[in-house]
Amino acid sequence: MCMFGDRLDAAVKDVVEITRVYMETTLLIPTDDVHWELSNGCQLVYHVESPPELVIWPIFGGVVGGMGAIFLVLCIVFIWYKTRPVNLSHLPQPVRWQYEQYYIASSSGWVQDKSKKFFKKKLASNSEEYERMKEFFYGLLGASSKIKISEAYAIFNPMIVTNFANYHNTITQRMTDLPTIFAKQDWRLRNDYEAKELAYGKYLERCKTTGWNDSLKVPILLTCHVTDFNIAMAISATGFSFLSSVDAGWYGSGVYFTSYATYACMYFTNRVDPALLISFVTLGNTYPVTESHTGSTSLAGNASVPGYNAHYVNVCADGTVPDWKRPDSCSDLFDEIVVSQEPQIAPVYLIRLRNKNLTEALSSTKNGNESDPPLN
């Protein structure tokens, strides 16, 4: 018999209520059919008249269904993110034109590469896109008419193009807002500033050849990069990987380009399946290189000069820098461009060249039948 009698009534009611709440919220047991009483030993006991149904499986099903719904939403968001139109509105129309063709419903022929990372379109020789490619290759890049194209592709990698557009927008903003930091030209204080001014002037002249740079604070240069066809396809998928494609070359470490197709094609002679990637490149704050790769101030293998985003080098046909004090030291003037970051680059066309007549075409070019602007 419980010795405390009625004095426990209030305490018992509190305990019963706490236990009931615990059973319903934590154990998920309904308490409508539960009867409470004090035993002779002053222990609180309960009796369940009808055992509750097992509710674990409905709860488990609800949890799984909720997770499935969340996964489905994430998949939809991911697909939208991968296929949404790339915002290129701040880029000049000739630069964004080819990329925008992908989103035009009437522009057929685009296929996803087996890597699933970029889209390509083999250009028909009678298409507007093929004519645009030829204008770039033979016109703006100055390729010899004797160099024949085997096949050509338009290239569109949404991730690479997005990074390129964002980089150009960011570097433009920085060079505009903080020119003393991001657009400095302390090379003008060097002893060889006169030669560098001439080299920098050649860079500005080259920027003007395209026409679209007239309205840009930061120019976008049309360039080409020589390689093998399979490597060009890999670059189109993943970009210019710094683990394998960065050249610790004569004029600094980075990815090398040229804005002269004839000069680029001179490096095709040892290629089994030669290809050329036409790319847009944002140089940003550009350092004019006049240092010889064999001199005491050589930049060979070095990173970009601090404060600069790219190196621009005027070179002779053999790849050496000219002697700016001697205009006759270099009859044909080309260039090499060295960039250090992949977002500075956006491939647009991949050209496969005919290897059969390439050697003959390059030989005639080197012999002076078709030459580029002289040094002076």
Side-chain angles (χ1 to χ4, degrees):
M1 177 118 183
C2 183
M3 298 175 57
F4 297 99
D6 295 337
R7 290 183 297 174
L8 286 180
D9 284 350
V12 167
K13 290 179 179 180
D14 291 340
V15 172
V16 168
E17 180 63 19
I18 293 172
T19 305
R20 184 189 67 78
V21 171
Y22 173 76
M23 292 176 70
E24 289 190 343
T25 60
T26 303
L27 301 180
L28 303 176
I29 299 176
T31 58
D32 294 340
D33 297 329
V34 178
H35 300 281
W36 308 87
E37 64 180 29
L38 284 173
S39 68
N40 291 337
C42 288
Q43 294 179 329
L44 182 66
V45 297
Y46 65 88
H47 303 280
V48 182
E49 293 186 358
S50 57
E53 296 181 358
L54 190 62
V55 294
I56 294 178
W57 285 112
I59 295 172
F60 179 75
V63 171
V64 172
M67 293 177 64
I70 293 174
F71 178 75
L72 179 61
V73 170
L74 291 176
C75 288
I76 294 174
V77 171
F78 177 77
I79 293 173
W80 169 83
Y81 178 81
K82 295 288 286 185
T83 59
R84 77 195 192 287
V86 177
N87 183 12
L88 306 175
S89 57
H90 66 281
L91 297 178
Q93 193 274 340
V95 173
R96 66 176 188 264
W97 182 86
Q98 182 60 61
Y99 301 130
E100 290 176 340
Q101 298 307 299
Y102 173 76
Y103 295 107
I104 298 176
S106 60
S107 180
S108 61
W110 289 94
V111 296
Q112 191 174 32
D113 183 70
K114 61 182 180 180
S115 67
K116 307 296 184 183
K117 294 182 179 180
F118 76 100
F119 300 90
K120 61 185 179 182
K121 179 180 181 179
K122 189 172 182 179
L123 302 182
S125 59
N126 60 346
S127 67
E128 181 183 3
E129 293 161 302
Y130 193 86
E131 290 301 317
R132 177 68 66 96
M133 179 276 301
K134 286 175 59 179
E135 178 186 347
F136 280 6
F137 184 58
Y138 293 112
L140 298 178
L141 293 172
S144 168
S145 59
K146 296 182 179 180
I147 299 175
K148 303 301 181 182
I149 297 173
S150 173
E151 57 185 15
Y153 296 84
I155 300 296
F156 177 59
N157 185 316
M159 184 65 69
I160 290 178
V161 175
T162 298
N163 291 341
F164 174 79
N166 291 339
Y167 179 89
H168 186 269
N169 191 44
T170 300
I171 197 65
T172 299
Q173 196 67 41
R174 289 176 177 176
M175 294 180 69
T176 302
D177 294 344
L178 297 170
T180 57
I181 298 176
F182 295 104
K184 67 176 185 177
Q185 294 186 341
D186 54 2
W187 51 263
R188 296 184 182 277
L189 304 177
R190 297 171 57 98
N191 293 332
D192 59 346
Y193 75 94
E194 292 181 343
K196 290 191 177 298
E197 283 184 343
L198 292 172
Y200 193 74
K202 292 291 184 181
Y203 159 66
L204 295 179
E205 288 178 11
R206 199 62 182 157
C207 292
K208 293 178 181 178
T209 58
T210 59
W212 62 66
N213 285 316
D214 294 344
S215 60
L216 294 181
K217 172 70 176 179
V218 178
I220 296 175
L221 212 55
L222 186 68
T223 69
C224 46
H225 178 90
V226 299
T227 186
D228 288 300
F229 182 77
N230 289 336
I231 296 177
M233 282 292 184
I235 291 173
S236 300
T238 61
F240 289 83
S241 173
F242 280 79
L243 294 178
S244 59
S245 296
V246 171
D247 184 0
W250 286 0
Y251 306 112
S253 178
V255 185
Y256 275 68
F257 297 88
T258 180
S259 66
Y260 291 88
T262 300
Y263 178 72
C265 290
M266 294 179 188
Y267 291 87
F268 275 131
T269 53
N270 61 341
R271 304 286 181 179
V272 176
D273 190 3
L276 181 144
L277 272 172
I278 296 179
S279 303
F280 297 113
V281 173
T282 298
L283 276 69
N285 195 26
T286 304
Y287 181 81
V289 175
T290 56
E291 293 86 345
S292 170
H293 69 284
T294 59
S296 58
T297 58
S298 171
L299 299 176
N302 293 347
S304 296
V305 175
Y308 296 89
N309 310 112
H311 295 169
Y312 183 84
V313 196
N314 285 118
V315 295
C316 303
D318 61 358
T320 60
V321 293
D323 182 352
W324 292 95
K325 296 180 180 179
R326 295 177 50 242
D328 60 344
S329 67
C330 187
S331 59
D332 296 331
L333 191 65
F334 305 98
D335 63 24
E336 292 189 14
I337 298 155
V338 191
V339 298
S340 57
Q341 298 185 53
E342 288 188 89
Q344 294 176 258
I345 313 160
V348 62
Y349 294 117
L350 194 165
I351 298 175
R352 205 173 197 168
L353 300 177
R354 295 180 185 174
N355 205 13
K356 183 177 180 180
N357 69 331
L358 191 56
T359 302
E360 179 183 350
L362 294 177
S363 176
S364 65
T365 300
K366 289 180 181 179
N367 291 332
N369 293 343
E370 295 188 39
S371 61
D372 289 270
L375 179 61
N376 54 353

